[in-house]
């Protein structure tokens, strides 16, 4: 089990690299994360959803996605509440304080999934969540040491030297842990080092001496991680190509499935710009993408409070285009109704009115992998997935953006400038992305996005093999 001395120390990427390295050694390997908190999710082959990081890790292993890889997924909907997904399906929406009452029944599901994977694979690489140093959360824990104890797995702890204070991170974690929990940690590694790693030899010796843990290595900064899907919205950032096509994305408070944008961010011709709170949408952009949202109604209210509704109208008057994905698609319509109070108080709110559609929120979530044809792009074939609540209907749906298994999907405005769709992941399809960029005025694309992801995972595995004692690390599992 890989745990971190803090959040965002690189656990997910390290696990992905270790998975690919284990696969290269001929091991049947799978990822596992008992509890994850993320609004970036992926539909699995067995009809559920898991965190995006586990989907990447499964890809590194070369295996299909399964809900057992992430049996508990928390999707924040408000500042103090989250949707609880258990083995791929929605269980409830609970306040943070009430979640503790669910944990006794959740650990049973977690162990059930763990045992199923354990029986099928040679090696499981488990990812913790947050940090075990948050000892105030130890009682009832199912994400870090609580899981490690009941599943009886050894732990390797990661420190992040890029933040500074890495010796205190690691030694301090041992200091605050219960003696039995601290004894479960068998080794440590230091991540994100910039410069000559030999300069930290004395630091590694100090940590090993003070903790008694095995020093497994120092991982230099690996810049190519920017090519891999990010799970935490704090990690997403604009990326710059030559700027021939400029795409702006309002950064919504509850932005979800933002890995939709990753293939555009690495396109040489695209400059992808995330618009932060308090800033206007630029006046010289070609396309605005309204991304998915885990809390569509509140994010719509927030978007309007920023004045971005006015900016979107001005963008259209200048001849610009807008694409709404999932929650962003719903926001573009005339009304959003939530009669059962799924996202808050029951009622109806006005949408942006840029598509002639109306949306009704429904309790049943649609989780499905799809194959489609892009109607306006020469019926170009595209694959993706749907993961949403709500149904949208209206006159603009008579001009669908896609056809999914023969049925119309999405909507296009009468002007052709505004498009909405529930399908995620379509930009990962090279031919579709090339046609879409050509429609925007770019010459198209020669980028093989899927090959780039696999090449990056291979490079990451070699990077870890060069700087970590993988023999010692994998021997811990034996």
């Amino acid at each position: 089990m890989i745990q971190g001395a803090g959040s965002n120390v690189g656990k997910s990427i390290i696990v992905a690299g270790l998975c690919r390295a284990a696969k290269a050694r001929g091991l049947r390997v799978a990822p596992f994360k008992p509890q994850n908190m993320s609004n970036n999710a992926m539909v699995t082959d067995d009809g559920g959803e898991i965190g995006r990081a586990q989907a990447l890790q499964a890809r590194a292993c070369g295996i299909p996605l399964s809900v057992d890889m992430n049996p508990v997924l928390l999707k924040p909907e408000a500042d103090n509440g989250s949707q609880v997904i258990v083995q791929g399906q929605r269980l409830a929406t609970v306040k943070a304080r009430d979640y503790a009452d669910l944990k006794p029944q959740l650990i049973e599901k977690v162990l059930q999934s763990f045992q199923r994977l354990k029986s099928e694979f040679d090696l499981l690489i488990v990812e913790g969540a947050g940090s075990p140093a948050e000892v105030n959360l130890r009682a009832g824990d199912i994400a870090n040491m609580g899981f490690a104890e009941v599943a009886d797995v050894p732990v390797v702890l990661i420190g992040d030297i890029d933040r500074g204070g890495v010796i205190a991170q690691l030694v301090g974690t041992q200091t605050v842990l219960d003696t039995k929990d601290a004894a479960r940690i068998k080794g440590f590694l230091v991540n994100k080092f910039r410069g000559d790693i030999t300069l930290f030899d004395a630091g590694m010796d100090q940590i090993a001496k003070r903790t008694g843990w095995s020093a497994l290595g120092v991982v230099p900064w690996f810049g190519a991680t920017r090519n891999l899907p990010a799970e935490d919205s704090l990690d997403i950032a604009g990326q710059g190509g030559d700027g021939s096509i400029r795409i702006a994305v309002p950064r919504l408070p509850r932005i979800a499935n933002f890995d939709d944008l990753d293939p555009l961010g690495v396109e040489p011709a695209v400059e992808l710009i995330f618009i932060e709170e308090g800033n206007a949408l630029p006046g010289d952009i070609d396309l605005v993408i309204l991304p998915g949202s885990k809390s569509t109604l509140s994010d719509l209210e927030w978007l309007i409070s920023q004045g971005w509704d006015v900016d979107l109208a001005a963008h259209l008057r200048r001849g610009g285009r807008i694409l709404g994905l999932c929650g962003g698609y719903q926001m573009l319509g005339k009304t959003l109704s939530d009669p059962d109070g799924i996202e808050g108080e029951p009622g109806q709110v006005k949408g942006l009115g840029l598509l002639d559609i109306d949306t009704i929120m429904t309790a049943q979530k649609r989780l499905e992998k799809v194959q489609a044809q892009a109607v306006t792009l020469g019926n170009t074939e595209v694959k993706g997935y749907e993961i949403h609540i709500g149904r949208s209907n209206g006159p603009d749906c008579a001009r669908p953006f896609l056809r999914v298994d023969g049925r119309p999907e999405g909507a296009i405005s009468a002007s052709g400038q505004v498009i909405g769709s529930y399908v995620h992941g379509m930009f990962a399809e090279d031919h579709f992305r090339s046609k879409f960029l050509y429609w925007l005025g770019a010459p198209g694309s020669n980028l093989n996005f899927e090959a780039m992801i696999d090449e990056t995972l291979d490079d990451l595995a070699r990077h870890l093999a060069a700087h970590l004692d993988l023999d010692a690390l994998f021997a811990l599992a034996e």
Side-chain angles (χ1 to χ4, degrees), residues 274-342:
F274 283 89
I275 309 304
E276 305 291 344
E277 178 180 5
N279 295 304
L281 297 180
D284 59 347
I285 49 178
D286 301 284
L287 175 71
V288 176
I289 297 180
L290 294 187
S293 167
K294 193 65 197 71
S295 188
T296 304
L297 297 175
S298 63
D299 273 1
L300 171 61
E301 181 182 7
W302 187 87
L303 182 151
I304 293 172
S305 75
Q306 297 295 305
W308 289 343
D309 55 333
V310 177
D311 292 345
L312 289 171
H315 171 68
L316 290 177
R317 287 195 299 271
R318 290 189 294 267
R321 290 162 171 163
I322 299 172
L323 170 65
L325 296 172
C326 202
Y329 171 32
Q330 295 173 340
M331 293 179 195
L332 289 171
K334 295 190 301 180
T335 63
L336 291 88
S337 302
D338 189 5
D340 299 323
I342 295 169

